[in-house]
């Protein structure tokens, strides 16, 4: 099923993906300490836009299917694709900051959910379980793994907590295109049994985990913002990953961000 559409990168192309993802990770390290109480999501967007341009690179989201800003900022019950605006981040909030940059024609894509000041224990636990589920998925992968193993690992990590795994949005192949094959569902789905992660496949894993029910609602007025239907919280983490002969390589690993095993 569609494996013929999955690009396999040669060494030179892999280096291009490494460079793009490394810049994107550096951008995350630049912006993370500025995501603070009292700051607007619009101000964060502007800082990211300036840093990207100052380094000679191109924001991938701006103008993508008409998306109006450089980054996505998804606060609390917003699952994904939140549009930066004059909303002020407030103590107790969580915000997912999703950055994608084009470097010499190649895409790097990653996101983190950031805690704004002190948050409740329930909120912290949701963020922790979401973060851990991303690494649970990465850690089961080997060259030749099937995409369904990602969904199985995430389900195993998330289900005991009673949270829901978003089904309406998924990870994706990435390279010289933003969203390409294979689709990467974060729950086990039959189609993903036939998608094989051979060395040279580049893709994202980006679980969106809801505190309550799974249903999503797309904001009709802006056409982008996706919220939980029940109004409960949602968290997300994303990395760009290259499958190599040695196993998965996390291309968007940051120097200063939360590493595997981090406690929030
Ligand atoms: N960065 C998101 C992803 O992980 C996609 C955002 S598309 C946008 O795939 F248009 F909403 F910016
Ligand atoms: Co992505
Ligand atoms: Co993203």
């Amino acid at each position: 099923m569609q494996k013929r559409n999955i690009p396999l990168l040669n060494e030179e192309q892999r280096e291009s993906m490494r460079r793009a993802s490394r810049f994107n990770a550096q951008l995350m390290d630049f912006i993370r300490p500025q995501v603070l109480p009292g700051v607007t999501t619009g101000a964060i967007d502007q800082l990211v836009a300036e840093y990207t341009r100052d380094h000679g690179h191109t924001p991938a989201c701006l103008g993508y299917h008409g998306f109006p800003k450089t980054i996505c900022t998804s606060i609390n019950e917003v699952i994904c694709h939140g549009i930066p605006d004059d909303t002020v981040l407030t103590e107790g909030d969580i915000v997912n900051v999703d950055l994608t940059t084009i470097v010499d024609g190649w895409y790097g894509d990653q996101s983190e959910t950031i805690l704004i000041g002190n948050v409740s224990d329930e909120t912290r636990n949701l963020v922790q379980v979401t973060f851990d589920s991303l690494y649970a998925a990465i850690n089961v992968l080997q060259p030749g793994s099937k995409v369904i193993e990602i969904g199985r690992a995430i389900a195993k990590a998330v289900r005991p907590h009673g949270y829901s795994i978003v089904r309406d949005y998924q990870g994706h192949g990435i390279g010289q295109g933003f969203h390409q094959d294979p689709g990467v569902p974060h729950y086990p789905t039959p189609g993903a049994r036939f998608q094989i992660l051979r060395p040279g496949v580049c893709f994202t894993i980006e679980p969106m985990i809801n505190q309550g029910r799974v249903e999503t609602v797309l904001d009709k007025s802006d056409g982008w913002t996706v919220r939980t239907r029940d109004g409960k919280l949602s968290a997300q983490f994303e990395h760009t990953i290259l499958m190599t002969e040695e196993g998965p390589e996390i291309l968007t690993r940051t120097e200063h961000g939360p590493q595997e095993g981090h406690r929030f």
Side-chain angles (χ1 to χ4, degrees):
M1 266 163 114
Q2 292 183 3
K3 69 180 181 227
R4 65 185 180 280
N5 296 329
I6 302 179
L8 294 181
L9 305 187
N10 64 29
E11 192 46 47
E12 194 185 324
Q13 296 166 322
R14 294 181 193 190
E15 275 305 315
S16 300
M17 268 311 289
R18 289 190 181 103
R19 273 195 296 275
S21 302
R22 201 176 305 130
F23 173 75
N24 207 67
Q26 185 189 323
L27 181 59
M28 187 64 90
D29 274 338
F30 161 75
I31 202 62
R32 188 187 304 101
Q34 312 193 62
V35 181
L36 295 168
V39 176
T40 68
T41 52
I44 295 165
D45 183 82
Q46 272 212 308
L47 289 165
V48 170
E50 279 164 25
Y51 187 98
T52 304
R53 295 239 158 71
D54 287 350
H55 287 77
H57 303 312
T58 308
C61 292
L62 185 65
Y64 179 77
H65 294 282
F67 189 79
K69 295 284 180 173
T70 293
I71 66 172
C72 298
T73 48
S74 302
I75 302 173
N76 296 338
E77 77 286 358
V78 178
I79 297 171
C80 62
H81 304 165
I83 302 173
D85 60 11
D86 56 8
T87 304
V88 177
L89 296 173
T90 307
E91 176 106 12
D93 285 344
I94 55 173
V95 60
N96 177 273
V97 175
D98 195 337
L99 309 179
T100 315
T101 314
I102 312 172
V103 175
D104 298 328
W106 295 81
Y107 287 71
D109 185 12
Q110 75 199 106
S111 82
E112 292 180 11
T113 295
I114 297 171
L115 279 50
I116 304 303
N118 240 330
V119 307
S120 72
D121 289 348
E122 292 75 19
T123 303
R124 192 180 300 274
N125 193 58
L126 174 70
V127 173
Q128 184 73 53
V129 169
T130 306
F131 181 77
D132 292 344
S133 79
L134 171 57
Y135 283 93
I138 294 169
N139 287 333
V140 295
L141 293 181
Q142 305 170 41
S145 287
K146 298 177 180 75
V147 170
I148 194 172
E149 292 166 45
I150 293 170
R152 286 196 185 121
I154 292 170
K156 196 171 154 197
V158 166
R159 278 198 190 124
H161 298 273
Y163 301 144
S164 330
I165 302 167
V166 171
R167 303 168 79 97
D168 295 341
Y169 302 87
Q170 55 182 22
H172 48 92
I174 185 165
Q176 286 177 294
F178 194 164
H179 295 112
Q180 49 192 44
D181 282 337
V184 180
H186 302 110
Y187 60 99
T189 181
R193 285 194 320 229
F194 305 103
Q195 306 282 359
I196 299 174
L197 299 169
R198 296 183 172 80
V201 178
C202 203
F203 58 99
T204 73
I205 306 179
E206 47 183 300
M208 287 147 271
I209 306 300
N210 293 353
Q211 193 175 35
R213 294 182 57 92
V214 71
E215 290 83 4
T216 70
V217 181
L218 176 64
D219 189 314
K220 282 201 195 71
S221 59
D222 69 25
W224 283 101
T225 308
V226 180
R227 295 188 178 80
T228 57
R229 199 179 71 185
D230 65 10
K232 294 190 177 177
L233 300 176
S234 186
Q236 179 179 27
F237 286 87
E238 173 178 29
H239 272 310
T240 295
I241 291 161
L242 171 69
M243 184 56 79
T244 75
E245 287 72 9
E246 275 71 55
E249 181 178 329
I250 304 174
L251 301 187
T252 42
R253 196 192 288 280
T254 64
E255 240 172 89
H256 303 296
Q259 310 290 318
E260 181 177 6
H262 178 81
R263 301 301 300 172
F264 289 88

